[in-house]
Amino acid sequence: MAQTLSPLDSVFLSIESPAVHMQVGGVSIFDPSTGPGGTLTFDDYRRRVISRLDRLPRLRQRLSQDPLRLGPIRWVPDAAFDPDLHLMHDALPRPGGERELNELAGWIMSTPLERDRPLWESHFVEGLSGGRVAVIMKAHHAMEDGLAGLRQTELVLDDDPDPSHGGHPGPPAAGPRSSLVRQLVDSLLDLPIPGAGAHRLGTAVSATAGVVDYLSACLLAPSTPLNGELGADRAVATWSAPLEVAKAVHHRLGVSFNDLVLAITAGGLRRYFLRRGLQPPPRVRVMVPVSTRFGQAQAFGNHVSAFLLDLDLGWRSAAETARRISADAHSGRARDEAIALALLEELNGLLAQPLQRAAGRLLVANRLFNLVVSDVRGLERPLSLLGARHLASYPLMPLAPGSGLSIAVLTMGGVLGVAVICEPRLVPDPELLAEAIADAFRELRLEAGIELPSPR
């Protein structure tokens, strides 16, 4: 049975243009020397992907809509599906390093996906120094959010027989997501029920307050050099750290992991502007995605809300910055805004398709925020691909209209992977920003009194 796109999935289709590529992706690096025979070839990788396509049926589906574009957009089986149109073999000039790999990732993310076939690609990359190989995955944001994209990456990893590690992800969960609007209406109808009814009414009131806050923010996003008219090109830079160190830092400071991510973003942006000879803006406004999957971790599509948060780029200690961000991010206002955006998405679903597209553009208007900062959690156990040891993974997120920068963090296989993706005219030298984020993390680690682990 064909599945209809959610209103938010449709929004990501409608806002795409030649300069706005609404696709998510990721880069993973592996060491074949640990696998059988010490090698990993494209043919090996191709066979692995094809053998597991049935685990994620969406990979064999394409979009379908009536010719007048008035009805809903649906996912339907692609009768002409050919895996070789989606599996690519690339090679870097040897010996390639992270910079060359990131240049290839930027080129891949600069190229739109063909709408007449399933909306994904996977590139197997050889030529990295030390005999390493990489996989660069790309899929349309209408098909998946960051967590669903992670499941696509995990699809090809080796099965883990240890049940304590959670095993390999299975097929996507069936059935539609619950409607927040229905929940809110039900809460109003259930007012006479003690306790539970009062709680649901509180949720409805919070949503109403959040709508006001979210819409009023339209006029408050500051003007920064990060924003402007996008071109088609994308550039990528990456940085990584041991996940155990990042966890120790956020526990020592008493802040959440996402607070730590936002703190090193603020510190990194301040350093980046100064090193380019620019005065940092007093603050930047970030959109922070929040998962609304509620037990559907393996389902495709977008199950996400968000809240807006101002990051102060004025000088203060890294630890003080993290604690201030924590207080703001965990305020009632942030919670209300996340509820509000989910509510607006659901209300948008009640409109006709053309009105959905117009309303959806307002939800991601660049006047609302300067950049997006995402935090995605993957499997934390040691990972491998056909025996090749996983070394690092980096998430690649799209740029919103008018926003030249997106920063994303992925925790996977014991590694904290940070990726900067930007429009290079608006945000030149992304490597400088990645280095600045690394320096901000180092300052935060030192203030927290956390030592680096001994080399293994």
Side-chain angles (χ1 to χ4, degrees):
M1 180 178 178
Q3 183 179 355
T4 301
L5 268 71
S6 73
L8 184 56
D9 297 343
S10 298
V11 166
F12 290 132
L13 281 178
S14 68
I15 65 176
E16 190 166 49
S17 72
V20 179
H21 316 304
M22 295 309 298
Q23 48 207 19
V24 299
V27 180
S28 294
I29 303 174
F30 299 91
D31 176 12
S33 68
T34 62
T39 62
L40 179 62
T41 68
F42 171 70
D43 287 340
D44 297 331
Y45 179 70
R46 179 182 177 277
R47 284 192 294 269
R48 166 58 62 89
V49 174
I50 292 174
S51 72
R52 293 186 169 179
L53 283 173
D54 288 341
R55 298 189 181 192
L56 294 178
R58 182 60 50 78
L59 300 180
R60 296 178 180 266
Q61 297 173 342
R62 61 173 180 82
L63 296 174
S64 177
Q65 190 180 25
D66 65 272
L68 297 179
R69 302 183 67 206
L70 297 177
I73 306 172
R74 303 179 186 278
W75 292 107
V76 299
D78 181 10
F81 175 73
D82 180 355
D84 289 323
L85 295 177
H86 303 269
L87 297 171
M88 317 295 183
H89 188 188
D90 298 298
L92 302 174
R94 298 175 186 271
E98 276 69 12
R99 180 182 290 267
E100 290 76 19
L101 179 62
N102 289 337
E103 288 176 354
L104 176 60
W107 178 82
I108 290 171
M109 295 300 287
S110 303
T111 309
L113 289 155
E114 298 289 341
R115 293 279 186 96
D116 61 350
R117 63 185 65 161
L119 298 177
W120 65 276
E121 293 177 358
S122 189
H123 296 249
F124 183 85
V125 185
E126 297 179 305
L128 279 165
S129 60
R132 298 170 298 161
V133 300
V135 172
I136 303 175
M137 180 276 297
K138 178 175 72 172
H140 202 285
H141 211 340
M143 177 177 167
E144 61 190 29
D145 56 23
L147 189 55
L150 177 63
R151 297 297 172 254
Q152 184 180 341
T153 300
E154 292 174 347
L155 171 73
V156 299
L157 299 177
D158 295 336
D159 285 308
D160 185 355
D162 184 351
S164 67
H165 289 154
H168 196 282
R177 65 174 179 172
S178 60
S179 166
L180 181 58
V181 172
R182 182 178 297 277
Q183 295 173 25
L184 295 176
V185 171
D186 288 346
S187 74
L188 294 175
L189 295 176
D190 289 343
L191 282 179
I193 301 176
H199 173 73
R200 287 191 291 271
L201 176 61
T203 301
V205 172
S206 293
T208 304
V211 168
V212 174
D213 278 344
Y214 195 90
L215 295 179
S216 67
C218 293
L219 303 177
L220 298 179
S223 175
T224 77
L226 306 174
N227 305 106
E229 193 72 23
L230 295 182
D233 292 339
R234 299 292 180 265
V236 172
T238 54
W239 165 76
S240 64
L243 179 56
E244 62 184 293
V245 175
K247 286 185 171 182
V249 171
H250 90 80
H251 285 307
R252 178 71 58 85
L253 295 177
V255 301
S256 74
F257 194 90
N258 194 59
D259 298 333
L260 179 144
V261 170
L262 292 168
I264 63 175
T265 296
L269 284 172
R270 175 178 171 80
R271 287 170 170 81
Y272 172 73
F273 283 119
L274 291 173
R275 291 172 185 178
R276 290 186 56 216
L278 301 175
Q279 180 64 32
R283 60 188 175 92
V284 295
R285 170 155 288 182
V286 299
M287 174 179 272
V288 184
V290 178
S291 176
T292 59
R293 287 185 169 268
F294 304 125
Q296 299 187 66
Q298 294 163 3
F300 264 78
N302 287 273
H303 301 263
V304 66
S305 184
F307 63 90
L308 302 176
L309 187 70
D310 287 345
L311 298 184
D312 188 344
L313 301 192
W315 184 87
R316 56 174 48 85
S317 75
E320 182 184 351
T321 297
R323 294 189 178 103
R324 178 166 177 171
I325 288 172
S326 180
D328 292 342
H330 296 273
S331 68
R333 176 171 180 168
R335 176 204 62 208
D336 293 348
E337 286 185 358
I339 295 172
L341 184 56
L343 174 62
L344 290 172
E345 292 168 12
E346 294 289 346
L347 289 173
N348 191 29
L350 303 178
L351 303 175
Q353 278 290 317
L355 293 177
Q356 280 189 26
R357 290 190 285 269
R361 291 187 184 99
L362 295 177
L363 296 180
V364 291
N366 59 290
R367 293 179 65 195
L368 287 176
F369 53 87
N370 302 116
L371 70 153
V372 178
V373 179
S374 306
D375 171 18
V376 182
R377 311 295 173 83
L379 297 173
E380 295 186 4
R381 61 177 171 80
L383 303 171
S384 62
L385 169 59
L386 294 169
R389 182 168 62 95
H390 170 268
L391 300 176
S393 287
Y394 307 97
L396 303 175
M397 296 300 177
L399 302 182
S403 176
L405 175 64
S406 180
I407 296 173
V409 172
L410 172 62
T411 57
M412 189 167 178
V415 178
L416 169 73
V418 179
V420 171
I421 184 165
C422 64
E423 203 281 15
R425 291 185 304 106
L426 293 174
V427 185
D429 198 357
E431 293 84 6
L432 183 65
L433 177 53
E435 293 169 3
I437 292 173
D439 290 341
F441 179 79
R442 177 177 179 273
E443 179 185 356
L444 198 60
R445 177 181 64 78
L446 293 175
E447 289 190 18
I450 303 298
E451 298 293 333
L452 289 175
S454 302
R456 291 172 181 156

